[in-house]
Amino acid sequence: EDQVTQSPEALRLQEGESSSLNCSYTVSGLRGLFWYRQDPGKGPEFLFTLYSAGEEKEKERLKATLTKKESFLHITAPKPEDSATYLCAHTNFGNEKLTFGTGTRLTIIP
Amino acid sequence: NAGVTQTPKFQVLKTGQSMTLQCAQDMNHNSMYWYRQDPGMGLRLIYYSASEGTTDKGEVPNGYNVSRLNKREFSLRLESAAPSQTSVYFCASTPGESEAFFGQGTRLTVV
């Protein structure tokens, strides 16, 4: 059965303390791996799409990478405004339903 | 651009009442989704529509019906609300294999 698991569930970092969030997947025929950011009381906001192992994408302090079994969202020198829940999601070949993991709640302490 | 618009933003229902959540997008996207989000459960897919006139069940479809009225609109109906349907509901749309755009959510409480 296709499954996406995110870890950790919650992460507290000091401002400037770099770290990584993990999204492990056991998906047959992965088509796309997506990262979203969600602020409290709002809908998810798109960050990145990754399609093949070895692919990397960057946006400001965030970098997403993809291997054959997992994706990482690296955050470098985070700021308090990076505090949010980060969600990964996937689609499969032959099934374009967008399926989400349970998310990592990131808190950056000033 | 309005993007994805959901109405209402908040709703309180009594057990057994019915209601329809409305969703409209102005981006000419083919695919639309309805999700529910509960604490610790992430976003769970209720129903999905790949194009006008087609719908497909997601992970948690029981107790819900949907209607893809046209390319812009995708509504979610609760025929007989139950307390277990208390949740935050999100509508999303996507042109295909790319980013999905989400509405701001409907916070539903069933008492």
Side-chain angles (χ1 to χ4, degrees):
Chain A
E1 182 180 338
D2 292 345
Q3 195 167 3
V4 174
T5 304
Q6 290 190 248
S7 62
E9 288 187 14
L11 181 63
R12 292 171 62 90
L13 299 172
Q14 293 291 328
E15 183 174 359
E17 181 184 2
S18 302
S19 188
S20 297
L21 312 182
N22 178 261
C23 174
S24 299
Y25 62 92
T26 53
V27 173
S28 56
L30 179 77
R31 181 159 187 169
L33 191 292
F34 303 80
W35 282 97
Y36 286 81
R37 169 190 172 128
Q38 186 175 24
D39 293 301
K42 296 188 176 181
E45 180 182 340
F46 172 79
L47 292 173
F48 304 108
T49 308
L50 302 166
Y51 291 106
S52 57
E55 190 175 0
E56 298 183 354
K57 289 191 177 174
E58 288 189 67
K59 180 180 180 180
E60 296 180 355
R61 294 177 293 281
L62 298 176
K63 182 169 79 173
T65 61
L66 183 65
T67 72
K68 288 186 178 180
K69 292 185 177 180
E70 55 193 350
S71 178
F72 292 95
L73 185 65
H74 307 277
I75 182 161
T76 303
K79 298 181 178 182
E81 54 262 41
D82 295 320
S83 297
T85 296
Y86 291 86
L87 301 161
C88 75
H90 72 89
T91 56
N92 299 356
F93 284 103
N95 175 10
E96 61 176 273
K97 296 178 188 178
L98 187 61
T99 304
F100 282 84
T102 55
T104 294
R105 188 173 65 256
L106 177 66
T107 304
I108 307 301
I109 304 163
Chain B
N1 286 337
V4 178
T5 302
Q6 289 184 235
T7 56
K9 288 186 171 52
F10 301 94
Q11 183 71 49
V12 179
L13 289 179
K14 294 182 179 180
T15 297
Q17 286 185 319
S18 63
M19 79 161 294
T20 300
L21 281 64
Q22 306 286 353
C23 176
Q25 52 94 5
D26 62 1
M27 296 171 282
N28 201 37
H29 288 168
N30 288 321
S31 301
M32 297 187 74
Y33 303 79
W34 275 107
Y35 293 90
R36 62 177 289 172
Q37 188 171 38
D38 303 293
M41 302 289 287
L43 284 158
R44 292 185 292 169
L45 183 64
I46 306 172
Y47 269 95
Y48 162 70
S49 172
S51 62
E52 180 181 350
T54 67
T55 61
D56 196 8
K57 294 179 180 179
E59 182 184 355
V60 288
N62 291 344
Y64 305 95
N65 287 301
V66 290
S67 178
R68 184 73 182 269
L69 304 169
N70 47 55
K71 195 170 186 178
R72 289 187 66 250
E73 299 172 291
F74 189 35
S75 61
L76 179 72
R77 183 161 179 84
L78 287 70
E79 291 290 351
S80 179
S84 61
Q85 294 177 305
T86 294
S87 188
V88 181
Y89 292 85
F90 287 101
C91 176
S93 73
T94 175
E97 288 300 316
S98 62
E99 63 180 288
F101 293 81
F102 283 80
Q104 288 298 297
T106 296
R107 282 153 185 78
L108 176 66
T109 302
V110 183
V111 297

